Amino acid sequence: MTPARTTAGKARRMLAAVLTHGLLLLLAALTLGPFLWMIVTSFKSLAEVDRTSSLPAVWQWRNYGQVFREIAFARYYFNSVLVALWVTFLQCVTSSLAAFAFARLKWRGRDSVFKLYLATMMIPGVVTMIPNYALMVKLHLLDSYAGLIVPAAFGAFGTFLLRQFMIGIHPALDESAAIDGAGPWTTYSQIILPLVKPGLATLAIFTFLGTYTSFFWPLVMIKSDHLRTLPIGMLYFDSVYGKQTNLLMAASVMNVVPLIIVFAIAQKQLVRGIQLGAVKG
Amino acid sequence: MSVFRWMSVILAVLSVVAWAIRPPADDGGRTRLDWTSDDNPVRREHIARFEASHSDLRLRLNPSSGDPQPVIVQSLGGVGPDLFECYTPAQLAGYVQAGVAWDVTDALDAARIDMIRDTWPAMSAYTRYAGRTYGFPANAAVDVMFLDTAAFADAGIPLPSGPMTWDVFLPIAQKLMKRDAAGRTTRFAIAFDDPFWHTLLMQWGGSLFSTGGGRCTLDAPEAITATQFLHDLIYKYEVCPSPAQIDAMSAEGGWGSKGMKMLSSGRAAAAIGGRWWLCTLRANEQLKLSACEMPHGPAGRIFLGYGRSTLINRASPHREQAFEYLKYMASPAYTNLVNQQADAMGPVAKYCTDESLVNPKFPAEAAYQRVFRDVMPLGRAEASSPFVSGTVVERVVKTQLDMVTRDAKTAEQAMRDAATEINAAIAANVARDPDLAKQYDSLTPSERP
Amino acid sequence: MTDTPLPESPAVTREPQTAGAGIVAKPSGRKRTDVRAAIMFLAPNLLGFAVFTLLPVLFSLGAAFTDWDLTRPGKTHFTGLSNLRHLLADGNFWVYFANTIYLMLGLPIAIACSLGLALLLHREVRGVVVYRTVLYLPSFTAGVALMLLWQALFNPDIGPINAMLRGLFGQSFPVPQWLGSMSNLLGLEPERLHVAGKYFGIGAREAILLMGIWTVAGGNTMLLYVAALGNVPAELIEAAKLDGAGPWQRFRNVTWPQLAPTTFFVVVMGVIGGLQGGFEQARVLTAGGPAGTTTTLSYYIYTVAFERFEVGYASAVSWVMFLIIFGFAMVYWKVGNRETAI
């Protein structure tokens, strides 16, 4: 390659990099803009809300305190986290057990049962919502934590996801364990589970996220104020104080912050999990 | 895995906390009554008074945004509240038909409470269904026209008073409009909320249903003319804001309904609203209010009478105790407190004295408090039908009025479409349910399509 | 619009190409069959699955043939196909179906955006993690809170979006009324399947579409594409380069076919999600209005079941929706498998 060509190549690469960064910066700004507006607005006084381009004259920290005074926001927080953690925990346990049976154990009819599992993932939530509601009535679980947690604790999705991870593990591992006299339970808990940590982490994050933001089910299940989760609480807040945009935004910020924290902690694991799952096979 | 162990510990701790902070089932030996209502601050004082006089009961407010559906669904599911609110006659029908409301006719008789005689006439529709009584009115209202005295002074127009027709008021309204240099309206003459259309409907002699509720009569000329008038107020006379203008202006904040916000932010010189607006508007010290009877249409001085009633869950294990609250509602203390709070008007007419209406903390209101009471007997409840759910009617009417107020459909077409859809729903329900069919067949021929 | 919900599943579509894994493969953990162990391991999940998924599905199928009404306890009858007949004649159903389809028009745009972003992120740019984090944020935090945020952004008079439009095009620019407007880009009339010029414009549905694209463009679909792009063999690209193919041709002829399994997967999941979507937006932002223009099938089912209490009819509608989804999935699966097999 002649020096001239190298320089031209370098210049072109520089140009490409500048263009890429420029475009990405623009898109990042478009993505972050609404978030920034939300944060800034949450600190404004009511009169300043419509002045879009300006910062608050005085940063109204008390907007946040006021949200806690107007509604049982702390309680909603607590409920959301409690329910989401329970569901996440149960999902991880039941799904990993089932996935183990589908991926590492041999039994007749295994693949047919698994296909049935898969097929049900296509059923719209509204189809099962009404009978499930009637079921909750029969079980006297309406308006209770259990009514939010139990139906969400089992899922085809988690089983499917973890099975994908478990299937990739070399069969020699549990064969040698079997030779050492390990039963299925030991194999599951000592060998397989530690190896599918990325899968469990991915499932945990998605389940937590899904439950924390879930709206449909709590909406019909929960009556009492002290059992409301955040999305339902937000809806109620909006119906009563919705025109106080600054307070609404303060509540929204507080709603989103825990998610951002979870994301910041787990993002490496999460992206790896998603892409691992995608690349596998 | 240690992660699982940690999770278990955290979950155990959280669950114990959740258990520890659960609301007590038994408040120090008192029976707890759950009351689903909107979280209006004035409720708290009622709770305090009621509990003060009933040492064995505890009343717990469960705030909701006032949709009837959750109460019905929850009550049918066995977790309904003990006491709940009813906001329209159609909701009452829904509650009774669903078997959720407790028939208190005999209990009221035993307590020697003559609800029909003592409470405002329009409120019967909120408590009585098929000859039986299911609750007690919590408050009552007939809308008047609130006036922003500063706006009238600014326009150089004396405050209107007394009965007048829309024809008389429209020229005045046009003078109340104010525009900026760019031609954008900065102040409208009249703001209103959704119930306004119901009043117009009555004032033009129209009705939602024929007598007996067998047929939706929104396709009648009276209903069409009334709806046309609503449209004209916005687009022909241009004295009322369109929904877009309301959304845009009222979003700036402040509490309460759209009409309230338009009035209290100086964007409307007058607004159609009820006495309960004062609860909110009192907080605005810049606003110098007055009020007069709202203009009326060709059918005369008829206005929508509306309010709220409190019902008891038929399946409640504490319904006898819950009835104690209804008895409290029939007392002079209750009506007096409602009047002082300005949460519309107290339910018992004879206790609504001048003294009870004027709150000493707001002496300026004394000048117009009588207006609210004088229109009360003119209030009429909106018609409802046993053959179609109020929710369906509400949704259909709202859809069609959306189109009219957004100038997307003619009033005539909208009302015809509404009537067609509601009548189709009636036919479907009657075909589906033999009991309804029997009731429907007992209507006189003129009451049916 | 919904984000691709399942992050791992291109594996499913890839499986036929790779040996040793997937549904078709038989993982051989143990020599003998472990029926008893399998039952123990499956029991918790299978029990929950049977109680909360299988049973309800069957139950709802039965309910679809009755006139079950929550407010008329004890008066439920088997009514055969009358719900279905009612549905075919129910003008609302078809309008809401059309609304649902309309709101799915954002899907191709969102997928294109995701692919575009993935192409940008796939290069060796500095700070790629930061960009990825930022772009992924909306889909990770999506929910009622962000919808309420967009409600404020869309406020026609004081919202920042219209403020920006006025800033760009002048104060008298006819800004869209967003969530309060029945206008739409196809000029569809509300309430019936008919086009009329005066409904042409930007309204509630466009607002929901915009919000949806913003939410999901940087989401799972983007991550899947980034991963898939990493799997495109570099030799293929180099070979195309040596043949003198320009960047567009390289993308069109080399990269795009390699991405087919991923594209197939995100389209399937997107359509399945889209057909049952729109509930939260309608419930939180518009109550299905104005004039029913943002009522989708799922919101309609919700109102029929929990506002009108006609549970039998709601079950019938939800089953029709399921059959539409199922039919689509089957057709697409067949076609897709044929194409991606090449």
Side-chain angles (χ1 to χ4, degrees):
Chain A
M1 246 181 253
T2 65
R5 276 190 65 183
T6 329
T7 326
K10 219 182 223 170
R12 196 186 298 158
R13 243 175 292 143
M14 276 283 283
L15 186 70
V18 168
L19 275 179
T20 308
H21 275 286
L23 209 54
L24 278 171
L25 277 176
L26 179 75
L27 291 167
L30 275 177
T31 309
L32 284 184
F35 285 106
L36 288 179
W37 187 85
M38 169 169 79
I39 293 166
V40 170
T41 305
S42 74
F43 286 105
K44 285 182 173 180
S45 68
L46 196 52
E48 292 172 314
V49 167
D50 58 336
R51 270 167 255 152
T52 294
S53 50
S54 71
L55 290 174
V58 180
W59 290 70
Q60 310 278 339
W61 285 92
R62 64 204 170 108
N63 283 352
Y64 284 78
Q66 200 173 342
V67 171
F68 281 94
R69 278 195 300 278
E70 300 290 354
I71 54 170
F73 203 82
R75 192 68 209 246
Y76 303 160
Y77 247 134
F78 176 82
N79 292 340
S80 277
V81 171
L82 176 77
V83 170
L85 281 181
W86 260 114
V87 171
T88 306
F89 177 73
L90 292 174
Q91 272 271 4
C92 284
V93 172
T94 62
S95 300
S96 64
L97 285 171
F100 182 78
F102 281 125
R104 314 297 299 187
L105 298 176
K106 279 174 97 181
W107 42 286
R108 214 193 315 173
R110 182 185 65 186
D111 291 350
S112 317
V113 175
F114 185 66
K115 273 178 195 155
L116 182 69
Y117 257 65
L118 273 190
T120 57
M121 280 169 42
M122 220 168 18
I123 296 170
V126 284
V127 172
T128 51
M129 172 191 69
I130 296 163
N132 266 332
Y133 182 83
L135 186 65
M136 291 295 119
V137 171
K138 283 268 176 291
L139 297 176
H140 297 284
L141 290 182
L142 225 57
D143 201 32
S144 70
Y145 285 126
L148 291 181
I149 294 168
V150 175
F154 316 93
F157 166 58
T159 309
F160 176 65
L161 175 68
L162 291 179
R163 178 185 173 275
Q164 290 302 108
F165 277 88
M166 287 185 188
I167 249 171
I169 299 169
H170 201 278
L173 268 178
D174 34 352
E175 270 162 30
S176 62
I179 291 166
D180 291 349
W185 174 256
T186 317
T187 314
Y188 160 79
S189 58
Q190 303 298 322
I191 297 174
I192 301 297
L193 267 196
L195 285 173
V196 294
K197 264 188 195 162
L200 278 174
T202 312
L203 176 65
I205 294 163
F206 273 101
T207 310
F208 183 87
L209 188 68
T211 318
Y212 183 87
T213 55
S214 113
F215 177 65
F216 209 120
W217 189 242
L219 185 69
V220 295
M221 282 295 291
I222 293 303
K223 170 202 78 169
S224 304
D225 193 39
H226 71 272
L227 291 175
R228 282 183 182 142
T229 57
L230 266 181
I232 311 305
M234 288 292 292
L235 188 71
Y236 168 67
F237 190 55
D238 179 47
S239 73
V240 183
Y241 306 94
K243 295 296 182 187
Q244 291 186 294
T245 311
N246 51 349
L247 295 191
L248 195 64
M249 289 304 115
S252 294
V253 169
M254 289 191 282
N255 200 328
V256 167
V257 161
L259 292 178
I260 295 181
I261 293 172
V262 169
F263 183 57
I265 295 171
Q267 87 120 340
K268 218 179 207 168
Q269 185 74 278
L270 179 77
V271 172
R272 211 164 70 99
I274 294 170
Q275 297 186 338
L276 248 178
V279 179
K280 275 173 99 70
Chain B
M1 269 169 84
S2 63
V3 180
F4 274 91
R5 220 163 290 147
W6 274 111
M7 275 286 279
S8 315
V9 172
I10 293 171
L11 282 175
V13 170
L14 282 178
S15 303
V16 169
V17 172
W19 184 77
I21 59 175
R22 80 201 185 284
D26 163 38
D27 294 67
R30 293 171 135 192
T31 307
R32 195 179 87 216
L33 298 172
D34 275 331
W35 178 24
T36 295
S37 178
D38 46 320
D39 188 14
N40 192 319
V42 300
R43 307 269 182 281
R44 287 169 207 158
E45 206 165 329
H46 287 297
I47 292 174
R49 297 252 182 123
F50 177 71
E51 288 183 347
S53 59
H54 293 79
S55 55
D56 55 331
L57 299 176
R58 177 78 76 198
L59 193 57
R60 248 186 117 258
L61 185 75
N62 191 41
S64 85
S65 45
D67 297 334
Q69 289 83 19
V71 171
I72 295 185
V73 173
Q74 286 148 7
S75 299
L76 292 171
V79 296
D82 301 302
L83 290 152
F84 55 92
E85 313 290 69
C86 166
Y87 299 87
T88 64
Q91 283 184 9
L92 177 72
Y95 287 130
V96 174
Q97 284 172 355
V100 168
W102 185 38
D103 183 341
V104 293
T105 319
D106 300 334
L108 283 173
D109 284 347
R112 305 221 180 129
I113 297 171
D114 190 341
M115 206 266 304
I116 303 173
R117 184 196 62 198
D118 289 347
T119 60
W120 298 106
M123 293 314 291
S124 288
Y126 285 71
T127 51
R128 308 249 314 151
Y129 184 83
R132 305 294 292 178
T133 306
Y134 293 89
F136 200 84
N139 64 5
V142 166
D143 283 351
V144 300
M145 189 157 70
F146 281 97
L147 312 167
D148 175 3
T149 54
F152 278 80
D154 176 56
I157 297 168
L159 293 178
S161 72
M164 64 189 145
T165 61
W166 283 103
D167 295 337
V168 171
F169 185 67
L170 276 177
I172 303 174
Q174 271 155 348
K175 286 185 211 141
L176 288 166
M177 298 291 290
K178 196 174 182 182
R179 295 182 174 83
D180 65 9
R184 286 207 296 180
T185 305
T186 54
R187 185 180 69 211
F188 286 92
I190 318 161
F192 58 83
D193 288 335
D194 290 347
F196 181 51
W197 173 80
H198 290 272
T199 292
L200 290 181
L201 184 66
M202 293 174 177
Q203 293 190 345
W204 263 258
S207 171
L208 272 170
F209 294 101
S210 59
T211 332
R215 188 165 56 90
C216 171
T217 49
L218 286 179
D219 50 358
E222 294 86 2
I224 292 169
T225 324
T227 309
Q228 184 65 41
F229 184 70
L230 179 72
H231 172 271
D232 291 349
L233 282 174
I234 303 170
Y235 297 100
K236 184 173 161 195
Y237 309 116
E238 296 184 333
V239 292
C240 293
S242 71
Q245 289 161 324
I246 296 173
D247 278 349
M249 287 182 160
S250 62
E252 269 175 45
W255 290 17
S257 73
K258 291 165 179 175
M260 253 185 245
K261 267 177 276 213
M262 298 282 292
L263 183 71
S264 64
S265 60
R267 293 175 187 271
I272 308 296
R275 187 170 184 265
W276 52 280
W277 280 25
L278 290 177
C279 288
T280 306
L281 297 181
R282 275 172 177 172
N284 185 343
E285 282 165 14
Q286 274 99 50
L287 188 63
K288 301 284 175 254
L289 279 179
S290 184
C292 69
E293 183 181 312
M294 116 171 67
H296 57 265
R301 294 167 64 201
I302 311 171
F303 309 99
L304 176 71
Y306 63 96
R308 202 160 45 85
S309 61
T310 301
L311 315 184
I312 296 174
N313 184 352
R314 196 170 69 145
S316 159
H318 310 300
R319 57 188 199 187
E320 311 290 340
Q321 288 97 322
F323 186 74
E324 288 299 315
Y325 187 71
L326 261 56
K327 274 162 61 183
Y328 164 67
M329 293 171 78
S331 71
Y334 178 86
T335 287
N336 194 47
L337 180 56
V338 172
N339 286 342
Q340 290 287 301
Q341 291 170 327
D343 180 22
M345 181 100 37
V348 182
K350 64 183 172 197
Y351 302 142
C352 293
T353 57
D354 286 348
E355 197 191 359
S356 151
L357 288 171
V358 179
N359 186 325
K361 281 186 229 151
F362 305 95
E365 291 173 4
Y368 55 91
Q369 280 293 357
R370 276 173 183 219
V371 174
F372 297 112
R373 190 185 53 207
D374 292 348
V375 294
M376 285 307 294
L378 304 172
R380 228 188 258 176
E382 72 182 32
S384 67
S385 161
F387 305 109
V388 58
S389 115
T391 320
V392 173
V393 176
E394 208 175 296
R395 203 170 268 280
V396 170
V397 167
K398 182 165 182 352
T399 302
Q400 297 302 334
L401 286 180
D402 267 358
M403 310 263 251
V404 172
T405 55
R406 284 175 169 78
D407 201 21
K409 205 179 212 182
T410 64
E412 180 171 0
Q413 194 58 47
M415 289 300 105
R416 283 188 200 288
D417 289 351
T420 308
E421 196 170 345
I422 294 170
N423 282 326
I426 291 178
N429 288 337
V430 169
R432 210 163 53 120
D433 187 330
D435 292 350
L436 272 190
K438 223 178 282 165
Q439 194 180 347
Y440 188 80
D441 290 337
S442 69
L443 296 173
T444 60
S446 69
E447 292 167 357
R448 279 189 264 162
Chain C
M1 194 176 316
T2 47
D3 195 3
T4 307
L6 311 179
E8 73 304 331
S9 303
V12 180
T13 54
R14 300 179 73 92
E15 272 159 1
Q17 306 161 343
T18 39
I23 303 168
V24 290
K26 301 268 185 281
S28 52
R30 296 165 171 274
K31 294 266 150 49
R32 55 190 184 81
T33 61
D34 325 84
V35 177
R36 195 179 299 170
I39 291 174
M40 302 297 284
F41 275 90
L42 272 180
N45 201 322
L46 203 59
L47 196 73
F49 172 76
V51 174
F52 297 110
T53 305
L54 213 55
L55 219 70
V57 168
L58 298 176
F59 191 79
S60 119
L61 182 61
F65 298 101
T66 68
D67 61 354
W68 182 16
D69 185 320
L70 277 185
T71 61
R72 290 174 196 175
K75 285 207 250 173
T76 303
H77 311 95
F78 179 79
T79 54
L81 292 176
S82 100
N83 280 333
L84 195 65
R85 273 198 296 275
H86 181 183
L87 182 143
L88 292 175
D90 181 354
N92 285 332
F93 172 82
W94 298 105
V95 170
Y96 300 151
F97 186 42
N99 289 344
T100 311
I101 301 289
Y102 190 98
L103 289 179
M104 285 167 62
L105 294 180
L107 187 66
I109 304 172
I111 292 179
C113 290
S114 298
L115 178 56
L117 290 173
L119 285 168
L120 286 175
L121 287 180
H122 167 58
R123 297 163 175 229
E124 305 266 310
V125 277
R126 199 176 298 174
V128 71
V129 174
V130 177
Y131 287 126
R132 194 184 59 199
T133 308
V134 166
L135 293 169
Y136 195 61
L137 209 53
S139 82
F140 199 80
T141 50
V144 174
L146 287 196
M147 286 186 191
L148 295 176
L149 163 63
W150 277 89
Q151 187 178 40
L153 296 179
F154 279 130
N155 184 294
D157 199 52
I158 60 163
I161 294 180
N162 276 1
M164 228 151 33
L165 289 177
R166 285 203 196 90
L168 284 173
F169 303 108
Q171 281 302 314
S172 53
F173 181 73
V175 287
Q177 294 301 310
W178 298 114
L179 291 167
S181 158
M182 296 176 280
S183 303
N184 59 90
L185 290 173
L186 297 182
L188 285 173
E189 269 187 41
E191 291 188 286
R192 58 194 188 123
L193 301 172
H194 196 265
V195 175
K198 71 173 180 177
Y199 292 105
F200 183 80
I202 288 179
R205 280 173 281 202
E206 283 67 26
I208 290 177
L209 281 176
L210 266 183
M211 178 179 80
I213 292 168
W214 177 84
T215 308
V216 306
N220 292 338
T221 311
M222 178 190 81
L223 293 185
L224 290 178
Y225 270 127
V226 170
L229 283 169
N231 280 356
V232 176
E235 313 88 71
L236 284 180
I237 309 261
E238 283 306 315
K241 235 182 208 170
L242 288 178
D243 288 347
W248 169 248
Q249 282 168 311
R250 284 203 299 272
F251 173 76
R252 181 72 195 82
N253 297 323
V254 181
T255 314
W256 178 243
Q258 289 284 319
L259 295 178
T262 306
T263 308
F264 172 80
F265 173 72
V266 297
V267 170
V268 172
M269 296 318 286
V271 172
I272 291 176
L275 282 171
Q276 50 179 304
F279 171 77
E280 294 190 9
Q281 292 87 332
R283 182 69 182 76
V284 177
L285 294 179
T286 59
T293 49
T294 57
T295 302
T296 60
L297 282 186
S298 63
Y299 186 66
Y300 182 54
I301 294 169
Y302 169 83
T303 57
V304 172
F306 289 99
E307 289 184 7
R308 284 159 50 183
F309 308 117
E310 295 171 25
V311 178
Y313 186 53
S315 299
V317 179
S318 67
W319 264 86
V320 168
M321 180 169 115
F322 173 51
L323 291 179
I324 293 170
I325 291 173
F326 190 73
F328 160 81
M330 284 298 109
V331 169
Y332 201 79
W333 208 264
K334 284 233 162 86
V335 174
N337 267 346
R338 203 184 308 139
E339 277 180 1
T340 51
I342 304 164

